[in-house]
């Protein structure tokens, strides 16, 4: 048909018509092709969409994350299998209900901020965070949640899609790590780090809110002894009991911490006045005083407490810790079961101690120390059986200083080592000289401090003093304070055995104030027990200390060890001791501590006196 038309039309028109016809034909063909292609494509796309939808819904259904879809109000329209698995809720139990019903009801006070417990709060167009989710069991589920939304044409959310991953394990591990880092593993109390943090925060709030806080420093007077004599598990039990009792003495907002060993600190908020604090401290002492049953035994412990307040006493954690520590030491000085408050004068005391230390060093170099000797008498015979060497310090400005003031400082600073060696050396030399002057022998007792006793070389020091002075070992007595023996009984026994090998006599000084058990005592290589002044002082009044004196005499007799009473001042005391079978005595009643010259005169003047070794 086209060719026919061509034959009747002008050439250009024919050409144009031909081109047009071709173009139209081609357009028609193309249109048909496009149409059929589009039809095919929409079918394919639909298929693809269906496949994709199937894939997506299968992915959502089987996802490792729990997926939950709600309407705009938070009513649950869909949950996947993982949701049912993790929460133990069936679909029927949750579909149609608000997500609010999935909110965990645990109290999260004190956990990190940014954690939500109300499920509705995470229904936001874009939200990411951690959420504690209720389950159909007893333990809630920690989840990491991502929320997105489906918007309508107006941009309003019609659905929320919540995808959540189970992070309970991670959370628990994190909590465990935090627990380890901030809490004491034995007692579960705050540890030093957490306590420091809380103290810092409390000090900041003191400045902001103009309140008062208090820091209490507390330690047990005989923890080490219990630990060593009854074992570490008993020690642990003791600490647990103490932790419980302390917690029961404070309010929930206060912090009780264990810094290590038997050291506890307590932070009290909003303290109104000193009366308040006094009451709390007295409460604590009373509650810790009650007997504790450990391994079938009733153990009594006593405690010392140092107290400081902020802002009055200081405004930094370091200052407060130092203050409370100083107050604790003063409380300890007062005896057992005591508390004391920090005062300015305690700081002065700390400075005094530093000065004392400096002067002690000078004193040692300038030989400002000397010895006095106090006789020990046998009541049955009137003989002097020994003499105790007692150190004195002739201070250039302060005059004579007694050992109770400087021995503890020498102990703390290590100066006791050269000082103790000097005493041993001098005592041996002077007594050897006395022997030579009198032509007969008498024993000298030398006090050994805790640090000297811990020195594994003590045996050699003693041996050296004996050899260089020429004093026979039987004329030297080593006085060891009972408290030093209970620290590490095994080590103490070995040390005593080594000292004994030098041939000297060993005495337990101040017996009855330490914690050695009878069993332990029986196995120790010692020759004598000394009844401390505190017990002798109570004689002849009735009371627990008289009982102790008689008990010690009884123990010594039973173990066939000699017993010496110290600090005897009165006739009644002498009578009581004699009646109970203790005939060895030392005290002002017989003679005060004397210088070497006085001692020599004492012996020479009384030529009747027989000297016994
Ligand atoms: P201690 O071993 O119990 O010594 C007995 C103390 O009681 C001495 O005090 C003595 O002067 C005093 N005393 C003696 N008789 C009486 C009395 O009838 N009544 C009273 N109230 N007290 C009496 P001192 O000399 O002040 O010694 C005190 C403590 O210092 C000694 O107690 C001893 O533990 C220690 N000490 C003394 N000299 C040394 C030493 O050279 N080295 C070491 N490590 N410690 C020493
Ligand atoms: Mg002594």
């Amino acid at each position: 048909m086209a060719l026919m038309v061509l034959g009747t039309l002008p050439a250009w028109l024919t050409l144009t018509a031909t081109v047009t016809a071709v173009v139209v034909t081609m357009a028609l063909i193309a249109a048909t092709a496009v149409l059929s292609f589009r039809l095919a494509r929409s079918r394919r796309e639909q298929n693809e969409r269906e496949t994709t939808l199937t894939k997506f819904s299968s992915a959502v259904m089987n996802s490792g994350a729990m997926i939950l879809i709600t309407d705009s109000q938070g009513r649950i329209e869909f949950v996947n299998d993982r949701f049912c698995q993790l929460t133990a809720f069936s679909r029927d139990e949750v579909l149609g209900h608000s997500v609010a019903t999935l909110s965990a009801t645990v109290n999260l006070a004190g956990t990190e901020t940014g954690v939500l417990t109300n499920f509705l709060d995470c229904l936001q167009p874009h939200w990411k965070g951690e959420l504690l989710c209720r389950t159909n069991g007893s333990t809630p589920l920690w989840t990491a949640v991502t929320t997105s939304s489906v918007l309508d044409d107006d941009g309003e959310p019609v659905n929320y899609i919540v995808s959540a991953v189970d992070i309970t394990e991670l959370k628990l591990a994190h909590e465990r790590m935090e627990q380890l880092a901030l809490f004491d593993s034995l007692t579960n109390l705050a540890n030093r780090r957490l306590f420091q943090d809380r103290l810092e925060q409390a000090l900041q709030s003191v400045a902001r809110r103009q309140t008062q806080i208090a820091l209490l420093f507390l330690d047990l007077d005989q923890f080490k002894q219990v630990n060593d004599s009854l074992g570490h598990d008993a020690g642990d039990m003791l600490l647990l009991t103490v932790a419980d009792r302390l917690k029961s003495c404070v309010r929930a907002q206060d912090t009780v911490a264990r810094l290590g060993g038997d050291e506890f600190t307590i932070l009290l908020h909003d303290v109104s006045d000193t009366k308040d604090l006094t009451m709390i401290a007295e409460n604590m002492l009373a509650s810790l005083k009650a007997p504790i049953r450990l391994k079938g035994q009733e153990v009594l412990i006593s405690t010392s407490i140092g107290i400081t307040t902020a802002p009055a006493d200081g405004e930094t954690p370091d200052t407060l810790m130092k203050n409370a520590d100083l107050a604790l030491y003063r409380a300890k000085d007062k005896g057992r079961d005591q508390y004391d408050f920090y005062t300015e004068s305690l700081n002065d005391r700390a400075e005094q101690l530093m000065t004392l230390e400096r002067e002690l060093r000078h004193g040692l170099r300038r030989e400002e120390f000397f010895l006095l000797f106090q006789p020990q008498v046998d009541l049955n015979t009137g003989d002097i059986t020994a003499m105790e060497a007692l150190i004195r310090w002739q201070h250039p400005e302060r005059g004579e200083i007694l050992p109770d003031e400087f021995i503890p400082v020498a102990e703390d600073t290590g100066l006791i080592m050269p000082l103790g060696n000097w005493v041993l050396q001098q005592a041996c030399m002077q007594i050897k000289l006395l022997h030579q002057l009198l032509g007969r022998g008498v024993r000298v007792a030398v006090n050994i401090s805790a640090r000297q006793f811990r020195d594994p070389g003590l045996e050699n020091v003693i041996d050296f003093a004996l050899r260089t002075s020429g004093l026979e070992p039987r004329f030297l007595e080593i006085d060891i304070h009972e408290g030093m023996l209970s620290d590490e009984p095994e080590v103490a026994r070995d040390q005593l055995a080594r000292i004994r090998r030098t041939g000297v006599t060993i005495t337990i000084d101040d017996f009855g104030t330490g914690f050695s058990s009878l069993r332990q005592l029986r196995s120790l290589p010692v020759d004598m027990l000394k009844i401390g002044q505190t017990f002798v002082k109570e004689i002849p009044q009735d009371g627990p200390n008289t009982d102790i004196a008689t008990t010690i005499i009884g123990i010594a007799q039973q173990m066939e060890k000699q017993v010496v009473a110290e600090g005897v001042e009165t006739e009644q005391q002498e009578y009581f001791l004699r009646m109970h079978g203790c005939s060895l005595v030392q005290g002002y009643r017989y003679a005060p501590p004397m210088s070497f010259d006085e001692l020599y005169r004492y012996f020479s003047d009384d030529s009747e006196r027989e000297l016994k070794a």
Side-chain angles (χ1 to χ4, degrees):
M1 192 186 77
L3 285 178
M4 258 173 45
V5 174
L6 281 178
T8 58
L9 294 172
W12 63 272
L13 199 63
T14 309
L15 185 63
T16 310
T18 310
V19 169
T20 307
V22 169
V23 168
V24 169
T25 311
M26 284 185 59
L28 275 172
I29 293 168
T32 315
V34 165
L35 202 64
S36 56
F37 173 72
R38 279 204 179 145
L39 274 173
R41 196 176 65 177
S42 84
R43 256 200 315 275
R44 204 173 56 241
E45 275 177 355
Q46 193 180 346
N47 284 343
E48 275 173 7
R49 261 205 305 274
E50 275 167 14
T51 319
T52 311
L53 263 177
T54 319
K55 273 193 218 159
F56 279 153
S57 74
S58 150
V60 167
M61 254 346 237
N62 303 312
S63 166
M66 60 181 214
I67 291 170
L68 181 147
I69 301 175
T70 73
D71 66 11
S72 60
Q73 301 307 306
R75 257 187 309 276
I76 303 170
E77 291 183 347
F78 169 86
V79 289
N80 69 349
D81 288 349
R82 183 71 175 149
F83 172 90
C84 299
Q85 230 174 48
L86 288 177
T87 61
F89 283 119
S90 68
R91 284 200 172 77
D92 291 345
E93 284 172 309
V94 292
L95 291 184
H97 293 278
S98 165
V99 282
T101 58
L102 292 177
S103 304
T105 49
V106 290
N107 177 14
L108 280 179
T111 55
E112 59 215 274
T113 49
V115 169
L116 294 180
T117 43
N118 188 349
F119 217 126
L120 275 173
D121 291 343
C122 71
L123 297 189
Q124 298 170 35
H126 299 286
W127 191 85
K128 262 183 186 200
E130 288 176 2
L131 186 89
L132 193 60
C133 177
R134 189 164 80 88
T135 65
N136 204 6
S138 53
T139 40
L141 184 73
W142 274 108
T143 54
V145 170
T146 310
T147 312
S148 55
S149 53
V150 180
L151 305 178
D152 64 11
D153 293 342
D154 300 327
E156 290 299 318
V158 278
N159 288 105
Y160 290 104
I161 304 167
V162 179
S163 155
V165 183
D166 175 14
I167 54 162
T168 311
E169 280 294 314
L170 205 74
K171 239 11 217 183
L172 290 180
H174 182 70
E175 268 170 25
R176 270 197 300 274
M177 272 165 59
E178 231 168 42
Q179 183 79 14
L180 283 177
L182 300 176
F183 293 88
D184 171 46
S185 57
L186 173 69
T187 58
N188 234 357
L189 295 177
N191 66 10
R192 187 184 291 271
R193 202 177 119 197
L194 183 56
F195 188 78
Q196 284 272 354
D197 274 4
R198 298 227 173 127
L199 184 57
E200 261 163 44
Q201 280 170 21
L203 283 168
Q204 281 163 15
S205 90
V206 161
R208 266 197 325 270
R209 292 172 43 222
Q210 304 203 321
T211 55
Q212 190 180 218
I213 59 163
L215 171 63
L216 278 65
F217 214 134
L218 185 149
D219 84 12
L220 310 178
D221 297 328
Q222 305 94 344
F223 173 67
K224 209 166 163 27
Q225 286 94 322
V226 171
N227 219 18
D228 291 336
S229 54
L230 295 180
H232 289 274
D233 41 343
D236 285 356
M237 292 252 299
L238 175 71
L239 292 172
L240 280 169
T241 313
V242 169
D244 281 346
R245 290 186 184 179
L246 287 178
K247 272 192 292 186
S248 69
C249 294
V250 300
R251 299 155 302 175
Q253 71 261 37
D254 300 325
T255 303
V256 180
R258 179 175 167 233
L259 302 191
D262 61 339
E263 275 184 0
F264 293 87
T265 43
I266 295 146
L267 173 63
L268 302 174
H269 297 272
D270 297 321
V271 177
S272 49
D273 54 22
T274 314
K275 232 170 54 210
D276 239 27
L277 282 172
T278 308
M279 221 169 66
I280 295 175
E282 276 171 2
N283 236 342
M284 284 180 179
L285 290 181
S287 123
L288 293 176
K289 232 191 235 172
I292 300 173
R293 257 201 113 63
L294 297 174
K295 291 194 165 170
Q297 285 191 38
E298 292 227 317
V299 174
L300 289 171
I301 54 155
S302 57
T303 317
S304 309
I305 307 177
I307 309 169
T308 187
T309 59
D313 297 339
E315 292 178 10
T316 64
D318 282 354
T319 317
L320 288 183
M321 294 290 270
K322 201 187 81 205
N323 290 350
D325 199 29
L326 286 171
L328 173 68
Y329 272 91
R330 192 161 62 180
K332 276 182 176 294
D333 275 351
K334 291 203 305 197
R336 290 177 179 180
D337 273 327
Q338 299 288 332
Y339 62 85
D340 211 335
F341 286 87
Y342 166 81
T343 52
E344 271 292 321
S345 64
L346 277 179
N347 247 336
D348 300 345
R349 174 85 189 122
E351 266 168 39
Q352 276 171 17
L353 288 180
M354 274 165 62
T355 313
L356 197 66
E357 181 192 340
R358 207 176 44 245
E359 290 177 348
L360 259 176
R361 286 182 201 282
H362 287 168
L364 257 168
R365 273 204 305 274
R366 296 188 204 136
E367 298 184 359
E368 291 168 359
F369 297 92
F370 64 96
L371 293 182
L372 294 184
F373 298 91
Q374 185 178 35
Q376 187 187 90
V377 181
D378 185 339
L379 289 175
N380 291 333
T381 60
D383 297 341
I384 294 173
T385 50
M387 274 159 311
E388 181 169 10
L390 296 161
I391 192 171
R392 296 289 181 268
W393 179 9
Q394 189 60 45
H395 191 280
E397 284 120 41
R398 294 174 54 201
E400 198 174 298
I401 304 180
L402 291 174
D404 282 340
E405 189 179 338
F406 63 85
I407 292 282
V409 181
E411 229 337 76
D412 283 353
T413 51
L415 287 171
I416 193 69
M417 299 305 274
L419 196 61
N421 290 355
W422 178 86
V423 172
L424 255 172
Q425 195 74 42
Q426 281 295 316
C428 292
M429 273 165 46
Q430 293 189 30
I431 291 306
K432 178 69 190 174
L433 181 63
L434 187 77
H435 290 181
Q436 285 164 345
L437 289 173
L438 297 172
R440 18 181 198 183
V442 63
R443 195 170 67 229
V444 66
V446 173
N447 290 288
I448 296 290
S449 85
R451 200 187 266 233
Q452 281 176 286
F453 185 64
R454 285 199 302 269
D455 173 19
L458 179 59
E459 167 197 12
N460 301 330
V461 175
I462 294 172
D463 202 48
F464 183 77
L466 289 169
R467 275 190 293 112
T468 48
S469 63
L471 186 74
E472 279 179 61
R474 67 190 170 107
F475 290 124
L476 179 61
E477 173 190 321
I478 298 292
D479 282 13
I480 288 155
H481 205 280
E482 191 194 359
M484 301 177 204
L485 302 176
S486 44
D487 274 5
E488 284 169 294
E490 297 299 315
V491 180
R493 196 178 18 251
D494 291 351
Q495 177 72 307
L496 288 175
R498 277 199 299 272
I499 298 174
R500 243 301 184 64
R501 275 207 296 270
T502 59
V504 301
T505 304
I506 300 179
T507 299
I508 302 187
D509 209 348
D510 243 355
F511 187 77
T513 54
F515 208 76
S516 33
S517 66
L518 274 186
R519 188 171 44 84
Q520 189 186 327
L521 188 68
R522 227 180 266 278
S523 67
L524 293 178
V526 297
D527 308 280
M528 277 206 272
L529 309 182
K530 269 192 183 177
I531 310 175
Q533 290 180 26
T534 31
F535 303 133
V536 174
K537 220 181 254 163
E538 301 284 313
I539 299 172
Q541 298 147 14
D542 290 331
N545 283 351
T546 359
D547 291 348
I548 295 177
T550 26
T551 311
I552 297 171
I553 298 170
I555 292 173
Q557 285 167 345
Q558 215 189 31
M559 287 197 250
E560 295 174 347
K561 298 197 194 297
Q562 284 193 298
V563 61
V564 188
E566 262 187 334
V568 181
E569 293 181 359
T570 66
E571 195 184 338
Q572 291 100 311
Q573 289 168 344
E574 181 184 304
Y575 179 75
F576 179 96
L577 291 163
R578 202 199 277 268
M579 291 314 287
H580 284 86
C582 170
S583 58
L584 292 178
V585 287
Q586 183 182 332
Y588 297 158
R589 178 164 169 74
Y590 314 100
M594 295 177 281
S595 68
F596 183 84
D597 292 347
E598 288 167 332
L599 189 72
Y600 178 59
R601 269 201 303 277
Y602 179 78
F603 277 112
S604 319
D605 289 354
D606 195 347
S607 48
E608 298 285 281
R609 216 184 286 282
E610 265 221 10
L611 299 181
K612 270 197 168 181

